[in-house]
Amino acid sequence: MFPQTRGVAVDFRWSGFVAMTLSYMPHMGQLGARSFYAMGYNGTGVAMASLMGRSLAKKTRGEAVDLPLIDNRLRPIP
């Protein structure tokens, strides 16, 4: 696809699974006093991670987070 890169060593690469949730909505919440999570971006991780990162930072500071569509219930996958 990119012949000009032939022979160039690759030092790092990004890869991963697409994190799908049963509700098709991202999940964000708190597990304990100092344990928070944001996950399940359903294929929109690059854009969604920026929004969730800002929102999670607010949540860790005790500030209100207005994301009504975010699912904050962790449920096992049947």
Side-chain angles (χ1 to χ4, degrees), residues 8-13:
V8 175
V10 176
D11 294 326
F12 302 97
R13 69 181 181 93

Side-chain angles (χ1 to χ4, degrees), residues 8 15 19 29 39 43 47 50 68 73:
V8 175
S15 68
M39 61 188 204
S50 297
R73 297 165 292 155

Side-chain angles (χ1 to χ4, degrees), residues 17-30:
F17 297 108
V18 175
M20 300 296 293
T21 62
L22 294 177
S23 65
Y24 298 103
M25 299 303 296
H27 289 60
M28 180 175 70
Q30 186 170 355

Side-chain angles (χ1 to χ4, degrees), residues 23-71:
S23 65
Y24 298 103
M25 299 303 296
H27 289 60
M28 180 175 70
Q30 186 170 355
L31 296 173
R34 296 178 56 183
S35 179
F36 298 83
Y37 65 90
M39 61 188 204
Y41 303 144
N42 300 292
T44 61
V46 173
M48 188 61 72
S50 297
L51 171 66
M52 295 292 272
R54 284 193 297 274
S55 299
L56 199 56
K58 285 183 177 181
K59 192 168 189 63
T60 62
R61 292 190 303 259
E63 299 175 17
V65 176
D66 185 26
L67 293 173
L69 295 178
I70 300 302
D71 193 344

